Amino acid sequence: MKKILVVEDDLILNKTLCYNLRNSGYQVHSANTAGAAVKEAGAAHFDLVVLDVNLPDGSGFDLCRRIKAANPAPAVIFLTARDMEEDMLSGFELGADDYVTKPFPISVLQKKIEILLRKNPHRATDEIYDDGVLYINFSETSATLSGIPITFTATEYRILRLMTANSGIVLTRQVLLEKLWDVNENFVDEHALTSAISRIRSKLEKSGGQYIKTVYGMGYMWIGGLKK
């Protein structure tokens, strides 16, 4: 069953959305503030987030950034009464999949959600990295290397998740530091990032493969266990 988080401060609209989505067969959680949404997002993985832009305790754009930093997988549909072009572009730049202007027919939003989840059926459930040597289950925070259990810290799992999701792409140190700022406001500084990547390398290179390549002057790239 697909899991959806509805973040909307209009209580009537929130209840209406939740009622209709549950009747459509989705598992639905709701929040009417950014603070409540942060707690929900930190406690469960969602396939999709329906997110109001204007919340009583913060911006939906800022909330989207925090949710995506912790877990880039969920699709995001913004709901807003603002139809300015710059607002829409801001939403899409943050990784939004759609932007719905209020008022709107509930049936139209339901169809957008249905199509979006059908196009991305494994979006939030793709919790596994497996190259035949390294196996990581991100939802269970467990991993093995050549069948032998290997332990990573919470920060190391977050780095691994970002890197494996962007295999072959150079991630600058700045991008990594920004994305490692999680929904609970846990920060990773330059020294901690360097140390964490060094620890990950020492654990993975036991297999004789190179997983993380340093691109000098730029950042790091996941290369997936190439032989040295």
Side-chain angles (χ1 to χ4, degrees):
M1 182 182 293
K2 298 294 183 182
K3 189 178 294 185
I4 297 174
L5 174 61
V6 174
V7 187
E8 168 60 60
D9 67 325
D10 182 324
L11 297 182
I12 294 176
L13 178 56
N14 192 315
K15 289 181 179 179
T16 301
L17 289 172
C18 291
Y19 174 81
N20 282 277
L21 291 172
R22 287 185 181 116
N23 280 350
S24 296
Y26 301 112
Q27 182 179 341
V28 183
H29 294 231
S30 71
N32 51 36
T33 65
V38 165
K39 291 181 181 178
E40 290 285 348
H45 291 290
F46 292 94
D47 296 275
L48 183 139
V49 180
V50 178
L51 180 56
D52 188 15
V53 169
N54 294 312
L55 296 166
D57 58 342
S59 161
F61 292 146
D62 291 338
L63 179 57
C64 178
R65 186 178 294 109
R66 294 173 71 180
I67 290 173
K68 287 284 190 180
N71 179 9
V76 173
I77 296 179
F78 277 114
L79 303 180
T80 183
R82 295 161 28 180
D83 60 357
M84 299 295 290
E85 181 180 353
E86 56 265 33
D87 290 334
M88 294 185 179
L89 291 175
S90 295
F92 287 124
E93 286 173 0
L94 288 171
D97 295 86
D98 212 334
Y99 203 105
V100 178
T101 304
K102 300 176 183 176
F104 56 86
I106 298 294
S107 59
V108 171
L109 178 62
Q110 286 181 281
K111 181 56 69 174
K112 286 176 176 287
I113 290 172
E114 177 190 335
I115 292 172
L116 188 55
L117 291 177
R118 190 168 64 231
K119 284 199 301 186
N120 300 279
H122 304 298
R123 186 160 190 162
T125 56
D126 189 10
E127 299 288 327
I128 305 295
Y129 174 86
D130 188 358
D131 63 16
V133 177
L134 175 63
Y135 173 88
I136 307 173
N137 186 320
F138 290 105
S139 61
E140 296 180 1
T141 57
S142 63
T144 60
L145 186 67
S146 300
I148 300 171
I150 184 170
T151 302
F152 295 109
T153 67
T155 296
E156 290 164 7
Y157 270 115
R158 288 160 59 205
I159 292 171
L160 284 164
R161 185 164 196 153
L162 286 169
M163 287 193 156
T164 57
N166 295 278
S167 181
I169 298 172
V170 177
L171 297 177
T172 66
R173 294 179 66 85
Q174 185 60 38
V175 165
L176 285 167
L177 289 168
E178 288 176 359
K179 289 186 176 295
L180 289 170
W181 175 46
D182 70 13
V183 295
N184 296 315
E185 298 188 357
N186 294 317
F187 296 89
V188 175
D189 61 21
E190 286 268 0
H191 176 71
L193 176 62
T194 300
S195 298
I197 289 179
S198 178
R199 291 195 305 269
I200 291 171
R201 279 177 160 153
S202 67
K203 294 172 185 180
L204 296 182
E205 290 179 359
K206 296 174 184 177
S207 67
Q210 182 184 10
Y211 280 88
I212 298 173
K213 178 181 179 180
T214 298
V215 182
Y216 292 99
M218 297 180 67
Y220 303 99
M221 181 170 63
W222 184 263
I223 56 176
L226 292 179
K227 291 299 181 183
K228 293 183 177 181

